Amino acid sequence: MKKRGKGIGATFYGTGYGNGFPDVSNCEVELNCQGKIVVYTGATEVGQGAKTVLSQIAAEVMGVDLDSIVLVCEDTCCTPDAGTAAASRQTYNTGNGVRLACIKLKEMIKKVEENHKRVKGLPDEILTMKEIYEASRAQAIILKARDSFTACTSTMDEENGQGSPYWPYTFSCYAVEVEVDTETGRIEVLNAYCAQDVGKAINPVLIEGQIEGGFAMGMSWTLYEDLNLNQGIIKNNNFSKYIIPTSMDMPDICSIIVEDEESTGPYGAKGIGEPVMLAAMPAILNAIHDAVGIRVTKLPASPDYIVKKIQELDKSNLIERK
Amino acid sequence: MNIKLYKPSTLNEAVELMGYNDGRIIAGGTDLIIELRNRNEKPSYLVDISSLSELKELRIEKEMISIGSAVTFTDIIENKYIKEKLPCFTDMAMMIGAVQIQNRATIGGNICNAAPAADSIPLLMSLGAKCIIISQRGIREVLLANFINDKGKVRLNSDEILKLIEFGSLGENEGCGFSKLGKRNAMSISTISCAVKIRLDEDIIDNICIYTGSLGIKATKEEKVESFLKGVIYNKQNIDKAADLLSQEVSERLGTRASMPYKRVAVKTVFKEACYSAAEKYGNDQLYMSGGSDI
């Protein structure tokens, strides 16, 4: 028999290294001879969109088009350290580093521009970035700035739980509808609604992609992925046995971006890389409980496990009735 | 890996090549290439039959359907006649692997690889399919049910080639259904599969043939369930009873295997789905008449 159920899962997640560990992102920016803003930072693009988001932040501060930003990253020869692409920290931490360095460069540019106008006696002249570069050469000033951002965390007091072990926190709430086949134990996720707090959506399309990918990963973790360890040996050692969902298994995902600006974030933005997968699991498991009344306490919630739990429940119900 | 590959242009040439010893036939290669890479197979030469027109024929006559062994599952999916007259066959082909696999994999390969989880085998067996086998010694015919010997083993001599598979088309009051349970909705190896061919005389089950897959070393004819259903009314109660009987059979067959407690329960749904789809053209009215709505 097929039974349907609904469930929600709500999570909060501290991003960054946390617990007072030095969480530092450095950035260098310069104006080059072509009038482009070159941003140097060690942030790694692993497909999450760091290059896009960091370029957007730089363009916003400098007041130029995205085309005028050249982002140089992942090159240890010329990029200052910006920490790992981990802990959902690049948008927040390195985003802040890029923003601070750009603010400094902008100040320098302003001074060069003012000097130039005063010397030339043309107070109303509007200079292009290329002209500003040339003016800086004439003034013997190198338009290059560097800044750094450190996340504000402290170790937690073990006695009273006080302190700021993480900064900032990201919140999410997902709701799903599932259909459980009580005989085959197969679970179909029919619908998913994913509300994710992002601080400020610097790139909404990237966030939607992250939410969909995060939900797929969370669903896969909940229902499919199993290494099947046997005395330390991985039995499911290829993708015919180590199952992950296909597009045929995924539900339609309705992603809801919640914006509540984080005062310390670059334009209010926070990291969402890891948070987007978290709420999928509790939401699906709660929906399973709603559908068939069983509590899943082991992952993955594989078909044979579901059938076993349903049978156990039926048995205990039978005994109760007697 | 250094293996000679022959690509004959006619079936006769292929048959001649197989006359020398220790050659292996390759068609789609979706199973064989993996085995070669894993070094589980070490043939001295390969004979590629994938583009032999004689083996790519899909012939549909009034009472007989014959499918060449090198016909791919995509060829089957795209065949309009099969889709209309034998939709369960199209459905089965669409459930095999991924589209890329369907494009390469052949029906002859699926049979000769003889995996316990092969999707086409239970369905072809329930249709009473025969294998036509060719060698330099001539042509012979064998029932598919007898052709498959063991897990991964078929009764095919080293000089023989499976030429085609043929089976009778469905009669007026006959229907056929296939159901498969996998771990996900696509690109899935079947955990349990079931094929049912049914002949109804009004609401009486005149004849029924049931084969299950993935529940033993090879596809199994469920004779006890068949004899229970023969001559009884096709309704929900009887199908449910038959499912319970099958469940009992499966638990005995799998014994102490770790998969038994699950498969014993899940097989019921797979069997019922195959039954309902086999009798679909009769509208399954009888099922509702006799109460119960949870299908």
Side-chain angles (χ1 to χ4, degrees), chain B residues 207-228:
Chain B
N207 200 3
I208 187 160
C209 181
I210 307 163
Y211 273 92
T212 53
S214 294
L215 292 173
I217 50 166
K218 58 175 192 163
T220 314
K221 189 170 166 68
E222 302 296 348
E223 291 178 54
K224 270 194 191 167
V225 186
E226 286 174 3
S227 58
F228 168 77

Side-chain angles (χ1 to χ4, degrees), chain A residues 1 181-186 188 224 239-240 243-246 248-249 303-304 307 311, chain B residues 181-189 261-262 264-270 272-273 294:
Chain A
M1 203 190 296
D181 186 315
T182 55
E183 260 178 14
T184 65
R186 282 286 312 268
E188 196 90 17
Y224 303 107
F239 284 114
S240 61
I243 302 293
I244 56 173
T246 67
M248 296 291 286
D249 301 285
D304 52 337
V307 166
Q311 285 189 321
Chain B
L181 175 68
K183 285 188 170 158
R184 59 182 166 199
N185 294 335
M187 293 176 69
S188 186
I189 297 167
Y262 172 64
R264 181 179 59 135
V265 181
V267 73
K268 293 197 269 182
T269 295
V270 183
K272 284 186 274 183
E273 271 178 18
D294 60 354

Side-chain angles (χ1 to χ4, degrees), chain A:
Chain A
M1 203 190 296
K2 286 184 174 175
K3 290 185 171 177
R4 288 188 177 191
K6 290 173 183 166
I8 65 166
T11 66
F12 71 103
Y13 186 83
T15 58
Y17 297 147
N19 242 1
F21 189 88
D23 195 347
V24 187
S25 280
N26 297 293
C27 177
E28 255 175 40
V29 273
E30 66 175 343
L31 180 63
N32 77 2
C33 59
Q34 293 161 327
K36 303 244 176 184
I37 310 292
V38 190
V39 181
Y40 300 92
T41 185
T44 306
E45 171 64 55
V46 289
Q48 83 278 43
K51 275 184 172 173
T52 310
V53 166
L54 297 176
S55 302
Q56 279 183 268
I57 290 171
E60 186 72 19
V61 179
M62 301 308 299
V64 298
D65 289 342
L66 208 49
D67 295 345
S68 305
I69 305 291
V70 178
L71 186 85
V72 182
C73 62
E74 304 146 349
D75 184 347
T76 52
C77 170
C78 57
T79 60
D81 184 22
T84 53
S88 309
R89 59 181 286 286
Q90 288 296 1
T91 296
Y92 176 77
N93 250 66
T94 308
N96 267 326
V98 168
R99 183 172 159 270
L100 292 173
C102 285
I103 288 172
K104 272 194 182 168
L105 181 68
K106 202 176 180 184
E107 281 300 311
M108 292 169 79
I109 286 174
K110 205 172 149 193
K111 272 186 195 152
V112 167
E113 200 175 9
E114 277 167 6
N115 262 339
H116 179 81
K117 285 179 187 172
R118 207 180 50 238
V119 172
K120 291 263 178 173
L122 296 164
D124 296 328
E125 194 188 357
I126 294 166
L127 296 179
T128 62
M129 283 292 181
K130 205 172 170 183
E131 287 164 341
I132 290 169
Y133 173 80
E134 275 147 19
S136 75
R137 297 279 292 188
Q139 295 170 29
I141 290 170
I142 295 168
L143 282 176
K144 190 167 190 172
R146 183 187 176 111
D147 211 332
S148 145
F149 177 80
T150 306
C152 171
T153 67
S154 59
T155 49
M156 192 176 69
D157 188 317
E158 284 178 18
E159 289 292 319
N160 59 19
Q162 295 295 302
S164 306
Y166 288 97
W167 198 291
Y169 287 89
T170 302
F171 304 85
S172 69
C173 186
Y174 288 7
V176 302
E177 188 179 12
V178 302
E179 188 172 80
V180 182
D181 186 315
T182 55
E183 260 178 14
T184 65
R186 282 286 312 268
I187 291 159
E188 196 90 17
V189 180
L190 304 170
N191 289 299
Y193 300 88
C194 305
Q196 177 68 51
D197 155 44
V198 302
K200 171 79 189 169
I202 289 181
N203 192 311
V205 176
L206 275 179
I207 291 172
E208 272 178 37
Q210 288 269 29
I211 291 175
E212 286 169 11
F215 185 84
M217 192 174 171
M219 179 179 137
S220 185
W221 172 39
T222 313
L223 299 178
Y224 303 107
E225 289 178 46
D226 185 7
L227 286 175
N228 195 6
L229 276 178
N230 191 329
Q231 297 190 309
I233 294 164
I234 294 172
K235 292 282 180 186
N236 292 348
N237 60 352
N238 58 45
F239 284 114
S240 61
K241 295 185 207 152
Y242 187 86
I243 302 293
I244 56 173
T246 67
S247 55
M248 296 291 286
D249 301 285
M250 291 304 297
D252 282 337
I253 294 169
C254 171
S255 42
I256 303 153
I257 295 173
V258 179
E259 290 187 315
D260 178 24
E261 286 180 25
E262 162 60 36
S263 58
T264 63
Y267 299 101
K270 296 196 281 195
I272 50 117
E274 293 155 298
V276 286
M277 86 169 272
L278 298 175
M281 191 266 281
I284 293 170
L285 296 189
N286 282 334
I288 293 172
H289 179 259
D290 185 43
V292 290
I294 57 166
R295 279 288 173 207
V296 172
T297 53
K298 170 188 149 293
L299 291 181
S302 57
D304 52 337
Y305 176 76
I306 294 288
V307 166
K308 193 171 146 237
K309 290 288 264 189
I310 290 173
Q311 285 189 321
E312 281 170 9
L313 181 75
D314 288 349
K315 249 183 222 164
S316 69
N317 283 347
L318 211 65
I319 291 165
E320 244 172 60
R321 248 180 270 154
K322 277 180 186 168

Side-chain angles (χ1 to χ4, degrees), chain B residues 25 49 55 69-70 107-109 111-112 131-134 147 156 160-165:
Chain B
I25 293 163
I49 59 163
L55 301 183
S69 58
I107 189 130
I111 290 169
C112 291
C131 299
I132 312 297
I133 294 154
I134 186 168
F147 182 60
L156 191 71
E160 291 180 319
I161 296 174
L162 174 61
K163 189 182 175 204
L164 57 91
I165 300 98

